[in-house]
Amino acid sequence: MGEDGESTKINHSFLRDYVTEADVISTVEFNQTGDLLATGDKGGRVVIFQRETQSKGEIEELGESGEYNVYSTFQSHEPDFDYLKSLEIEEKINKIRWLPQQNAAHFLLSTNDKTIKLWKVSERDKRPEGYNLKDEEGRVKDFSTVTSLQVPVLKPTDLMVEVRPRRIFSNGHTYHVNSISVNSDGETYLSADDLRINMWHLGITDRSFNIVDIKPANMEDLTEVITAAEFHPKHCHLFVYSSSKGTLRLCDMRASALCDKHSKIFEEPEDPGNRSFFSEIISSVSDVKFSHSGRYLLTRDYLTVKVWDLHMEKGPIETYQVHEYLRSKLCSLYENDCIFDKFECVWNSTDSVIMTGAYNSFFRMFDRETGRGVTLEAWRESSKPRAVLRTRRVYTGGRRRRGDVGVDSLDFTKKILHMAWHPDENIIAIAATNNLYIFQDRVNPETQ
Amino acid sequence: MFSKGTKRKFSDGGEELPEEGLPGSNEELSSVSYSLQRQSLLDMSLIKLQLCHMLVEPNLCRSVLIANTVRQIQEEMTHDGSWQAATMMEAFAAASAAGSGAAGPPERLVATEVLCRPGREMNGSPTAEPKLFSVMGYEECREEEVVAVEEDSICSEAASNVCLSGSMGHCWERGMLRGERELDSRLGAPDEDVDVEEEDEEEEDDNELEGCREEGEAKAMRQVFGTFEIKNSHPGPESALEELFSDVDASYYDLDTMLTGMQAAPKIGPYDLLDSLSQSHTPSSLSSASNCRSDLNELDHIMEIIVGS
């Protein structure tokens, strides 16, 4: 990624159109400080970017934030085969979550459909030299040449980033893992598949607790699946999970060992005026995120993003239309399977702005205070590095402005599904197929 | 009203159900177009469910959502079916009383009657027919039985769009598939499967067409959800592969041929029935012809899977 060099000039046009399936980015995540940004792709690789600090120790000027450069690349998951079911297990990385940093090393969890792995990312910039029994290459010395004793010393070397798997949490899931979430207690995390949620201890790999199980006794009675799950950012006993029927369930682990009974259920009653055969499909929640404060929930379904107050179960407190113009196209989108696309949604650091992706390389940001939304584009052709992003508009009637895009000319293969917002600053990372875009707010780089 | 061989386009704007109470001649037309749209949505959904025979495990969320959509359409069609039967009865009665005979409803009635008959003749005894699991549950099945008895020779699922959708082929394939399926269930399918089959066999159903159509859909449903369970109990990859192939049934082909306008000549089509209203096609000769043909089709399909994947 990003290491093309000369080959870019030679067959740039060819490379531009040819997207290797394995390079498609499937998840993006900042760590808790925002210095590291991890991306996972369909080929099972993880690429970690690190933010360069302009000048260490000096105060950064406003607007001059460091750039992100590749820090480390490693193969997290390999394709696997389930011999019992005669089915392949994809190596695609579904989610990455960073652990809070406790020492010099960084830890992250990455998961594919079945297996979760804990990786340790550490730096080495010194190496011991001057061994008595071995020479510089590691070969055993001829003892006759050793005449005196020396103490090995640590000498600085080039920076090396080592990534090692520390834990492998396997055989916990029969169905496809869609979410992982690290608990605020720093010791446990949850993993959710279509029908079950398990809680693991970071140190124990051969056992997990099953805390939610919605599998019916008869699989033919199955009508609802789990689509996403997350721990509360502050209360280690609370977690939320969303379903394909558009409900959110808040569960308290203090209530019982198996949290099949929710503490609260958040559901918006269906609008009878908008009812169609696709109503259920478009109500399916594709992503759920707690606000940083822990007071609100952000959910994404096919056409909207909604903000919910944990204290009010009967409906969302805010609803934002992402691409309402697609409502009349639902049948075509059902035909080409786009209606099943799972978009993510994110909060900014102060929970005042929410962001989600759409089609045609567009993504949308909504200011919660004003209620206004803006459409931006993550597309190389229309933006040069360091150029200001201009807002885009989809033409849905009325006066047509220059630059407006018609609904029928939207490219549904260019979808922005995955994105992340820096935990403290106004820097966003957008995954557009196999490209990663990093945008930052020059006007207000620091959040107020 | 229906042109042969034309793929019916699902117009995006017309999803909303036009109220049945619309006055004037538009009522029948818009409800028919709604039925057509609904039917094509149902077909699309079934194809989506059946195309799950891939190397990678299919997305369960997507399958569940599609299955729920199918269920929803089925439920609505059942409601409409029973209502339409009633309205057709009235129309028929009115038409015959008037003496003119409206072109539409009576033809449909006769057509459905004819369609129902070969299906019934095919089965020796109703009890021998194992009824597959219906996604709609047992309660609704009993409902249809009652209606069938009341309507006498008219099938309760008399919604013409259902009969006309080529579900006849399902009935004929069933005879062939039945043996296959029973064999499968005896070859060590998990207990829950066998129990379901036995339960179904006890359930009698007068309405063959309903069972036929549902079979195609139920089979699709079962395939989707069954895949996750059944395969767990099979000992090795060979039997899993066998299971994969045994799930390939000709009902898929019926959908396929129906969507492409039913080009095959020997297969009796509802359009033929509508046109000719003759009973020159005897079920027995046709069933053997279609059985052979579906055998070949199945073989082709299996070859496609082997080569294509």
Side-chain angles (χ1 to χ4, degrees):
Chain A
M1 265 189 213
E3 318 248 27
D4 280 322
E6 285 175 349
S7 56
T8 322
K9 290 187 191 130
I10 296 168
N11 39 8
H12 182 69
S13 56
F14 169 70
L15 282 174
R16 194 193 326 167
D17 296 314
Y18 177 70
V19 176
T20 322
E21 186 73 7
D23 291 336
V24 173
I25 299 172
S26 50
T27 184
V28 188
E29 183 81 353
F30 280 101
N31 74 336
Q32 276 79 4
T33 59
D35 287 334
L36 295 176
L37 174 66
T39 63
D41 65 22
K42 271 195 169 181
R45 283 171 309 221
V46 172
V47 180
I48 304 177
F49 297 84
Q50 187 186 45
R51 191 175 185 192
E52 303 295 342
T53 46
Q54 294 284 48
S55 39
K56 291 187 180 167
E58 290 178 23
I59 302 164
E60 290 177 11
E61 290 172 22
L62 266 179
E64 285 285 332
S65 305
E67 287 190 353
Y68 284 83
N69 294 316
V70 178
Y71 178 65
S72 173
T73 305
F74 61 96
Q75 186 75 31
S76 169
H77 286 72
E78 297 277 1
D80 205 350
F81 195 78
D82 182 340
Y83 293 97
L84 208 57
K85 297 186 197 173
S86 280
L87 292 169
E88 284 181 4
I89 299 172
E90 282 188 327
E91 67 275 29
K92 170 168 81 90
I93 308 294
N94 292 335
K95 281 287 183 306
I96 290 175
R97 290 287 182 263
W98 291 92
L99 265 56
Q101 194 174 8
Q102 287 174 331
N103 49 36
H106 299 275
F107 288 86
L108 64 82
L109 284 169
S110 69
T111 183
N112 69 345
D113 283 340
K114 298 284 184 185
T115 307
I116 305 133
K117 293 187 184 178
L118 177 69
W119 294 90
K120 178 178 178 182
V121 184
S122 49
E123 287 182 6
R124 195 198 291 197
D125 58 357
K126 294 182 186 53
R127 55 171 282 197
E129 279 179 15
Y131 282 107
N132 290 295
L133 298 176
K134 289 186 189 162
D135 63 15
E136 298 308 309
E137 279 82 43
R139 290 185 297 244
V140 179
K141 278 186 193 170
D142 184 5
F143 294 156
S144 56
T145 61
V146 178
T147 50
S148 60
L149 277 177
Q150 56 181 350
V151 177
V153 290
L154 288 172
K155 295 245 174 80
T157 71
D158 294 333
L159 179 66
M160 259 186 5
V161 180
E162 286 182 335
V163 183
R164 288 217 178 92
R166 299 298 291 188
R167 304 271 188 275
I168 298 185
F169 305 91
S170 49
N171 300 318
H173 291 279
T174 311
Y175 304 99
H176 294 340
V177 175
N178 52 53
S179 318
I180 47 175
S181 176
V182 182
N183 206 349
S184 51
D185 65 6
E187 287 184 350
T188 57
Y189 73 95
L190 65 75
S191 59
D193 67 26
D194 293 317
L195 297 177
R196 297 188 179 104
I197 302 181
N198 292 337
M199 190 170 91
W200 305 79
H201 189 282
L202 284 165
I204 300 171
T205 57
D206 60 354
R207 228 171 313 154
S208 71
F209 287 107
N210 176 239
I211 52 178
V212 173
D213 189 341
I214 64 167
K215 180 168 179 258
N218 188 355
M219 275 297 273
E220 281 149 344
D221 295 336
L222 180 64
T223 56
E224 195 174 11
V225 299
I226 297 171
T227 50
E230 202 186 33
F231 267 122
H232 192 281
K234 296 191 164 85
H235 301 300
C236 57
H237 51 87
L238 286 179
F239 66 93
V240 71
Y241 70 92
S242 60
S243 81
S244 58
K245 285 199 169 166
T247 62
L248 304 169
R249 287 177 173 86
L250 184 72
C251 299
D252 190 331
M253 293 195 290
R254 299 171 301 186
S256 65
L258 192 60
C259 297
D260 278 358
K261 283 201 178 65
H262 49 264
S263 298
K264 288 193 181 188
I265 181 162
F266 299 83
E267 204 171 0
E268 185 175 25
E270 202 181 346
D271 176 11
N274 265 337
R275 178 139 178 71
S276 74
F277 283 120
F278 306 108
S279 294
E280 190 186 313
I281 300 179
I282 61 169
S283 73
S284 170
V285 174
S286 54
D287 193 18
V288 65
K289 292 262 169 50
F290 274 101
S291 64
H292 291 89
S293 62
R295 167 78 188 258
Y296 302 102
L297 281 170
L298 178 66
T299 60
R300 174 72 155 99
D301 51 63
Y302 192 63
L303 297 178
T304 68
V305 276
K306 295 179 174 149
V307 177
W308 305 73
D309 186 335
L310 278 186
H311 298 160
M312 190 170 96
E313 298 160 76
K314 63 175 161 88
I317 54 171
E318 294 157 30
T319 303
Y320 300 94
Q321 303 293 337
V322 180
H323 37 206
E324 178 68 10
Y325 45 80
L326 294 184
R327 192 179 285 275
S328 55
K329 308 278 176 204
L330 288 179
C331 191
S332 309
L333 295 164
Y334 179 73
E335 202 173 351
N336 62 16
D337 270 6
C338 281
I339 208 174
F340 302 109
D341 286 336
K342 293 196 188 320
F343 293 94
E344 289 174 11
C345 53
V346 291
W347 297 90
N348 77 333
S349 50
T350 54
D351 301 336
S352 58
V353 179
I354 54 183
M355 181 171 72
T356 188
Y359 294 107
N360 206 63
S361 307
F362 288 165
F363 59 99
R364 302 264 281 147
M365 265 194 220
F366 299 96
D367 184 339
R368 289 184 61 211
E369 280 144 37
T370 62
R372 291 228 313 267
V374 72
T375 306
L376 299 165
E377 189 179 16
W379 180 233
R380 186 174 35 202
E381 302 300 314
S382 48
S383 57
K384 299 187 181 65
R386 295 192 181 78
V388 174
L389 269 183
R390 58 194 175 93
T391 60
R392 305 302 310 270
R393 216 169 76 116
V394 176
Y395 176 68
T396 51
R399 195 170 68 92
R400 188 171 186 139
R401 285 188 233 145
R402 199 162 65 99
D404 281 4
V405 181
V407 178
D408 291 320
S409 30
L410 290 174
D411 188 345
F412 290 95
T413 61
K414 296 199 177 73
K415 39 192 112 178
I416 307 282
L417 301 172
H418 312 289
M419 50 184 34
W421 201 306
H422 191 286
D424 301 312
E425 296 179 36
N426 284 337
I427 302 175
I428 55 177
I430 309 280
T433 325
N434 62 333
N435 293 314
L436 180 72
Y437 292 83
I438 300 177
F439 301 109
Q440 61 192 53
D441 189 344
R442 286 284 181 81
V443 177
N444 302 304
E446 306 286 332
T447 46
Q448 291 90 353
Chain B
M1 204 179 294
F2 311 100
S3 46
K4 222 193 273 194
T6 309
K7 199 165 177 175
R8 294 172 289 233
K9 183 168 189 264
F10 194 116
S11 71
D12 279 319
E15 286 160 19
E16 298 308 323
L17 167 62
E19 287 307 315
E20 296 290 306
L22 278 177
S25 58
N26 281 335
E27 177 184 340
E28 202 186 290
L29 201 63
S30 56
S31 73
V32 164
S33 91
Y34 173 77
S35 302
L36 281 177
Q37 289 173 359
R38 186 176 59 186
Q39 183 63 43
S40 78
L41 180 62
L42 179 65
D43 301 335
M44 203 198 305
S45 307
L46 289 174
I47 289 178
K48 278 181 185 296
L49 282 178
Q50 294 205 336
L51 283 177
C52 282
H53 296 296
M54 300 180 295
L55 279 175
V56 186
E57 218 167 329
N59 188 341
L60 184 62
C61 180
R62 176 178 172 271
S63 305
V64 166
L65 288 172
I66 298 174
N68 288 351
T69 309
V70 169
R71 232 180 246 122
Q72 210 185 326
I73 298 175
Q74 269 191 319
E75 280 168 14
E76 207 184 275
M77 280 175 133
T78 321
H79 276 99
D80 283 356
S82 43
W83 292 339
Q84 269 191 22
T87 53
M88 268 190 240
M89 271 284 281
E90 289 165 9
F92 188 81
S96 52
S100 56
E107 266 188 11
R108 265 190 245 153
L109 283 178
V110 178
T112 60
E113 204 233 350
V114 169
L115 281 173
C116 288
R117 267 199 256 127
R120 285 196 184 148
E121 277 175 19
M122 233 201 97
N123 308 305
S125 56
T127 49
E129 200 67 48
K131 190 187 172 303
L132 270 197
F133 171 83
S134 162
V135 290
M136 290 157 56
Y138 293 136
E139 296 76 38
E140 276 149 294
C141 292
R142 285 195 205 99
E143 252 178 46
E144 272 120 43
E145 276 182 52
V146 170
V147 179
V149 166
E150 282 174 1
E151 305 288 341
D152 196 21
S153 60
I154 298 169
C155 299
S156 70
E157 186 82 39
S160 57
N161 49 349
V162 172
C163 295
L164 294 173
S165 63
S167 48
M168 271 317 291
H170 288 230
C171 293
W172 296 334
E173 312 312 342
R174 236 152 73 101
M176 184 186 69
L177 288 173
R178 199 190 326 147
E180 217 178 290
R181 239 186 10 258
E182 284 174 355
L183 202 65
D184 275 344
S185 64
R186 273 166 214 152
L187 273 179
D191 288 338
E192 52 175 351
D193 249 23
V194 176
D195 287 340
V196 172
E197 291 260 14
E198 285 170 359
E199 265 182 283
D200 290 330
E201 276 165 25
E202 286 162 13
E203 183 79 19
E204 278 180 47
D205 188 9
D206 282 338
N207 189 343
E208 292 309 324
L209 270 177
E210 173 62 18
C212 292
R213 233 191 87 255
E214 278 177 20
E215 179 215 326
E217 289 148 15
K219 203 127 177 74
M221 303 290 223
R222 196 156 16 160
Q223 269 164 243
V224 171
F225 301 136
T227 314
F228 297 100
E229 295 309 300
I230 294 170
K231 289 200 165 153
N232 271 329
S233 61
H234 273 110
E238 310 86 37
S239 30
L241 276 173
E242 239 175 82
E243 161 95 332
L244 195 75
F245 294 149
S246 71
D247 277 347
V248 174
D249 62 354
S251 61
Y252 172 81
Y253 265 95
D254 298 318
L255 272 170
D256 195 34
T257 48
M258 171 194 34
L259 284 178
T260 53
M262 294 197 249
Q263 309 289 336
K267 181 163 181 166
I268 189 171
Y271 305 142
D272 295 329
L273 272 174
L274 256 185
D275 289 348
S276 62
L277 286 181
S278 71
Q279 286 144 48
S280 52
H281 306 283
T282 57
S284 50
S285 61
L286 271 165
S287 60
S288 57
S290 66
N291 276 348
C292 291
R293 200 179 50 76
S294 59
D295 270 333
L296 283 171
N297 286 338
E298 206 174 297
L299 209 60
D300 279 338
H301 193 61
I302 292 171
M303 284 309 297
E304 259 177 64
I305 293 178
I306 295 173
V307 171
S309 63

